[in-house]
Amino acid sequence: MPNNKPAKQPEADRKVLQRDTTPHIFRPINFRSVTARNRIMVSPMCQYSAADGVPNDWHLQHLGCRAVGGAGFVFTEVVHLEPRGRITPNCLGLWNDEQRDAFKRIARFIKEQGAVAGIQIGHAGRKGSTAQPWEGGKPLAADKGGWTNIAPSPIPFAEGHPVPAEMDEKAITQTIAMFAAIARRAREAGFDIIEIHAAHGYLVHEFLSPLSNRRTDRYGGSFDNRVRFLLEAVDAVRSEWPEEKPLFVRISCTDWIEGGWDLDSAVKLAQLLKAGGKVDLIDSSSGGLSPLQKIPVHPGYQVPFADAIRSKVGIPTGAVGLIHSADQAEQILANGQADIIIMARAMLNDPYWPMHAAKALRAKFPWAKQYERGDIF
Ligand SMILES: Cc1cc2nc3c(=O)[nH]c(=O)nc-3n(C[C@H](O)[C@H](O)[C@H](O)COP(=O)(O)O)c2cc1C
């Protein structure tokens, strides 16, 4: 007998036809096997509060509180490859097992709160060996605990800064091997995502920019040579970082200096990273290479970089920099300018920013059970 009843619409199709009214920033997002509950990321923020690179109670409460606050991704500050790769003697490191074991508790706690636990890894290069910002942030003399920095070329960051030691090929090979070692310990510590810090004038960025890299070997000169160090670092990380776990890269999309690294170079680099298939998101920041930079700072001033890379390369991007309001963040995602919103200072100001943004955007967002009774405004 013919069945004249209209075909039942499958559940999945009906869902597609219904308009998703969830604000974009509160829609879950997947990278490889990892799903974040929303698209808000706590940006890496140095706390300059460690001894011997080991995370402590300060780091647990700083990151833990922001995971409780509802962010989808909570990233550690930059965690360094080796002692002389630190910005200050009080920065974090992950070159030994004691550090790894101390990170385990932090990664576990972030995940227990429903956030994705991310770790940013990097090397300070010629910008290492400085005092904590609240101690003036100036280069540290050896008798005050300072050390000799390394860099692609012996060019100081600024006047009054020491000349770094030029890395020879052996130092480059050893540093690349450290990227593999830190990825292994990050995996053992239980992190979900690694972000390579290739921005803000630190070691990897120093290789990228023609202003700080004057090498004449295969790590300097042409664009292909200047990006080699980062590409090798990506390969090294991937050799120890499981295929099912995502890898992000933070880059400076411009030096904001005539003749320096610029957006065209950033797009070309993003194309290479996409083609390699090992990197899942470009965290699109800028600047930091030299005090000569001229940055036209205004709300969302780096969003066009995330937008350009996303549209020209077709790789997911994160927008960062002076994104403070829920409406602004929502608009960036609704416009398709980025895939996630990355926030630093607003998160320092208000660890519960995601909970408050949900309220402002009338999104349903569960509070931590212990804090439900605080939901009174
Ligand atoms: C206290 C502090 C520490 C920071 N430390 C890092 C860091 O470890 N790694 C990094 O990539 N950026 C670092 N940044 C930069 C931020 O992650 C972010 O890119 C920048 O502050 C712009 O975003 P915002 O306007 O939301 O603050 C730091 C910023 C602040 C305020």
Side-chain angles (χ1 to χ4, degrees):
M1 255 198 22
N3 179 0
N4 293 327
K5 277 196 206 149
K8 235 181 153 189
Q9 205 176 20
E11 175 72 9
D13 288 0
R14 252 183 293 147
K15 279 210 180 115
V16 171
L17 291 178
Q18 282 165 7
R19 208 167 68 86
D20 188 354
T21 54
T22 309
H24 293 75
I25 54 172
F26 287 100
R27 294 183 191 173
I29 186 166
N30 296 323
F31 293 99
R32 299 188 190 240
S33 67
V34 171
T35 303
R37 61 186 161 188
N38 60 47
R39 297 169 184 231
I40 305 165
M41 167 171 150
V42 176
S43 201
M45 278 182 281
C46 286
Q47 300 295 293
Y48 316 103
S49 299
D52 301 321
V54 182
N56 54 42
D57 290 356
W58 178 264
H59 305 93
L60 176 69
Q61 75 74 29
H62 165 66
L63 299 164
C65 177
R66 281 152 190 84
V68 170
F73 307 83
V74 174
F75 268 74
T76 68
E77 66 196 76
V78 60
V79 176
H80 296 103
L81 271 59
E82 61 168 335
R84 68 175 170 182
R86 290 172 297 173
I87 302 167
T88 74
N90 307 93
C91 283
L92 288 175
L94 186 47
W95 58 80
N96 66 38
D97 292 350
E98 182 194 357
Q99 294 157 343
R100 177 201 61 195
D101 292 345
F103 272 115
K104 282 183 182 166
R105 181 179 173 211
I106 293 174
R108 186 173 62 234
F109 186 80
I110 292 171
K111 294 197 286 191
E112 280 169 3
Q113 308 317 311
V116 168
I119 178 169
Q120 189 188 55
I121 59 171
H123 192 297
R126 69 181 186 179
K127 286 175 78 175
S129 185
T130 62
Q132 292 156 305
W134 50 84
E135 298 293 340
K138 296 256 168 8
L140 271 185
D143 61 351
K144 297 272 188 303
W147 56 86
T148 302
N149 287 325
I150 56 167
S153 300
I155 308 169
F157 168 65
E159 252 185 63
H161 283 242
V163 178
E166 182 173 23
M167 293 167 80
D168 55 19
E169 284 240 5
K170 188 168 159 227
I172 291 180
T173 310
Q174 285 169 344
T175 310
I176 295 296
M178 288 176 206
F179 275 99
I182 199 169
R184 173 176 59 77
R185 289 200 174 92
R187 185 189 77 223
E188 291 165 355
F191 285 100
D192 300 308
I193 305 186
I194 287 182
E195 174 170 276
I196 296 178
H197 194 353
H200 302 169
Y202 297 109
L203 186 67
V204 183
H205 185 181
E206 289 159 21
F207 272 92
L208 297 176
S209 174
L211 301 178
S212 46
N213 182 347
R214 299 279 167 77
R215 301 179 73 91
T216 51
D217 63 1
R218 60 197 195 96
Y219 291 96
S222 66
F223 170 87
D224 286 343
N225 281 354
R226 282 181 282 117
V227 301
R228 191 183 309 281
F229 184 76
L230 172 58
L231 297 184
E232 289 184 0
V234 166
D235 286 348
V237 167
R238 270 289 172 212
S239 72
E240 288 287 351
W241 191 239
E243 174 143 17
E244 70 273 12
K245 290 195 181 202
L247 175 61
F248 293 180
V249 176
R250 169 168 277 194
I251 60 171
S252 282
C253 295
T254 173
D255 289 341
W256 298 111
I257 302 169
E258 201 57 42
W261 176 261
D262 58 11
L263 181 58
D264 285 345
S265 316
V267 167
K268 258 170 81 180
L269 170 62
Q271 275 159 347
L272 287 178
L273 293 174
K274 180 172 185 214
K278 293 178 175 163
V279 170
D280 301 287
L281 177 133
I282 305 294
D283 174 348
S284 308
S285 190
S286 75
L289 191 85
S290 152
L292 301 176
Q293 64 189 11
K294 299 243 173 338
I295 308 184
V297 177
H298 57 83
Y301 70 105
Q302 295 177 146
V303 174
F305 301 138
D307 189 10
I309 291 175
R310 188 173 193 266
S311 63
K312 291 184 179 162
V313 183
I315 189 168
T317 59
V320 61
L322 285 180
I323 303 171
H324 289 171
S325 81
D327 284 335
Q328 182 194 7
E330 175 61 10
Q331 211 50 56
I332 292 165
L333 295 192
N335 292 344
Q337 292 171 292
D339 297 85
I340 62 171
I341 298 295
I342 305 174
M343 306 174 68
R345 287 164 293 180
M347 286 285 184
L348 284 188
N349 180 279
D350 178 8
Y352 306 115
W353 192 93
M355 280 146 69
H356 296 143
K359 202 110 284 168
L361 297 173
R362 296 195 170 79
K364 282 203 198 86
F365 188 69
W367 283 37
K369 287 190 185 30
Q370 298 91 329
Y371 282 11
E372 271 169 0
R373 290 176 69 183
D375 187 8
I376 53 175
F377 301 117

